[in-house]
Amino acid sequence: MTGPDYKQTTESAADMEHLRYEYAALLSMCDNSLGRVLDTMDEHALWEDTLLIVCTDHGLLLGEHEWLGKNAPPFYDESIHTPLFIWDPRSGVRGERRDALVQTIDLGPTLLDVFGVPATADMQGHSLQDTVARDTPVREAGLFGIHGGHVSVTDGRHVYMRACARPGNSPLVDYTLMPTNMRGRFPAEILSRAELVQPLPFTKSMPVLRAPAYSYTDPHSFGTLLFDLQSDPEQQTPLQDDELELRMASLLVERMRHNAAPPEQFERLGLPKTGPVTAEHLLLRAQWDQVLSSRSGPVAAQSFPAAGSA
């Protein structure tokens, strides 16, 4: 399958249908390959002593929310709510679903637990042995997002996607000891403005470079979003609810502090680095115009009156 461009949808209905057929073919290939693994488990009686985890890294928008691909729009459920299947021979539970909120950071501690190895002090995930066996919760909220984009939190039912508080998406910086990004090394104009700063809580006493950063997405143009996945699983109807936003923003700040988010992130999002989240920090109503305009879809040529001859 040739992946779609990461952009708003302007394709015809026929092109979109073909794209989804291609994606379905990709899924069929994955399903066939997984079947080979399961057949091998059967053939060698591996179910008795082998942990099997089936997961993926992210989903892909195929026209949902008027977008293709990922990264540019907020991380809707189609992108961030990924498949997870676990067979744990210690419990032997199969054919059941679990409601507990888990994240990919839980997979490492789960694997170590199978071999009786304690999770390292740096790991923030949890072993899922009891979650698989009895749906035991391991967290109240999960943090997710992308550098320079929305910073989001979910409690399993509600999803709160916090945009930057002001146009310009600043301040935005990189903290790193490897001055590269996905496309290559930092250019000279960035490195010339970098400075060595004190260690962050998780850098093991090592100082790091602080350099200006940029993002190819503009979270402010989408606005801050809040959804109830129980009543609106396709995230079509953003909510305006001050009480719920206050609770979700408080969960977000708690998770950011727990993850030692740098001060620039709190400033960029308009959230307090210390102290409680209050009504003055809420953004849903202030950014409602951006929410409405970003969900109106791309401008089509038919929207303009016929132009005269040049």
Side-chain angles (χ1 to χ4, degrees):
M1 172 189 173
T2 301
D5 292 334
Y6 290 6
K7 65 179 187 65
Q8 284 189 283
T9 52
T10 55
E11 286 73 14
S12 67
D15 286 341
M16 291 302 301
E17 183 179 14
H18 178 72
L19 178 62
R20 293 191 178 104
Y21 273 125
E22 283 192 316
Y23 192 73
L26 175 63
L27 295 181
S28 296
M29 181 191 72
C30 294
D31 186 62
N32 182 68
S33 294
L34 175 59
R36 292 162 56 201
V37 174
L38 301 184
D39 289 344
T40 300
M41 298 278 288
D42 289 337
E43 180 182 352
H44 298 284
L46 298 177
W47 299 106
E48 299 175 8
D49 61 2
T50 304
L51 178 78
L52 176 67
I53 299 176
V54 180
C55 61
T56 186
D57 56 347
H58 61 80
L60 201 69
L61 294 175
L62 297 172
E64 299 87 355
H65 310 285
E66 307 297 333
W67 279 87
L68 294 171
K70 58 183 178 70
N71 291 1
F75 279 170
Y76 293 106
D77 248 32
E78 290 88 353
S79 297
I80 201 67
H81 191 176
T82 55
L84 176 62
F85 308 95
I86 299 180
W87 164 257
D88 189 335
R90 294 171 294 180
S91 63
V93 174
R94 61 181 179 178
E96 297 183 14
R97 297 177 67 91
R98 295 293 179 250
D99 293 323
L101 178 62
V102 304
Q103 296 187 271
T104 51
I105 58 173
D106 299 322
L107 300 185
T110 301
L111 289 168
L112 291 176
D113 188 42
V114 169
F115 294 98
V117 179
T120 70
D122 297 319
M123 288 183 168
Q124 295 182 355
H126 306 272
S127 170
L128 298 180
Q129 178 181 0
D130 291 339
T131 304
V132 172
R134 294 177 290 277
D135 206 9
T136 302
V138 293
R139 63 174 48 80
E140 181 183 7
L143 185 70
F144 63 94
I146 187 172
H147 181 55
H150 285 74
V151 179
S152 306
V153 68
T154 181
D155 61 4
R157 172 176 175 176
H158 304 99
V159 175
Y160 181 59
M161 304 172 173
R162 180 84 178 198
C164 51
R166 300 171 298 277
N169 201 22
S170 64
L172 188 62
V173 300
D174 283 320
Y175 285 97
T176 184
L177 278 177
M178 186 175 68
T180 60
N181 52 41
M182 182 177 288
R183 303 298 181 187
R185 297 181 179 87
F186 285 0
E189 57 267 26
I190 295 296
L191 274 178
S192 65
R193 297 160 60 192
E195 56 179 335
L196 196 64
V197 297
Q198 293 297 311
L200 298 175
F202 49 84
T203 61
K204 302 183 185 300
S205 301
M206 289 178 281
V208 291
L209 283 176
R210 180 185 184 274
Y214 73 95
S215 173
Y216 54 80
T217 185
D218 177 13
H220 191 268
S221 67
F222 291 93
T224 295
L225 297 162
L226 176 65
F227 296 99
D228 183 341
L229 296 179
Q230 182 172 297
S231 61
D232 182 24
E234 295 184 356
Q235 296 171 288
Q236 295 297 312
T237 309
L239 301 176
Q240 270 196 32
D241 184 323
D242 293 348
E243 182 178 353
L244 180 56
E245 182 183 10
L246 185 62
R247 184 175 76 82
M248 296 302 294
S250 297
L251 283 176
L252 177 62
V253 165
E254 187 277 327
R255 287 290 83 198
M256 289 176 63
R257 293 172 183 172
H258 181 73
N259 282 271
E264 292 87 357
Q265 282 295 337
F266 291 93
E267 183 180 350
R268 183 178 76 96
L269 300 174
L271 291 168
K273 189 176 186 301
T274 60
V277 180
T278 65
E280 68 178 286
H281 300 113
L282 303 185
L283 285 182
L284 286 176
R285 296 185 185 277
Q287 297 186 345
W288 195 244
D289 286 346
Q290 291 98 291
V291 172
L292 295 179
S293 63
S294 70
R295 300 177 69 81
S296 62
V299 176
Q302 306 90 279
S303 302
F304 294 92
S309 300

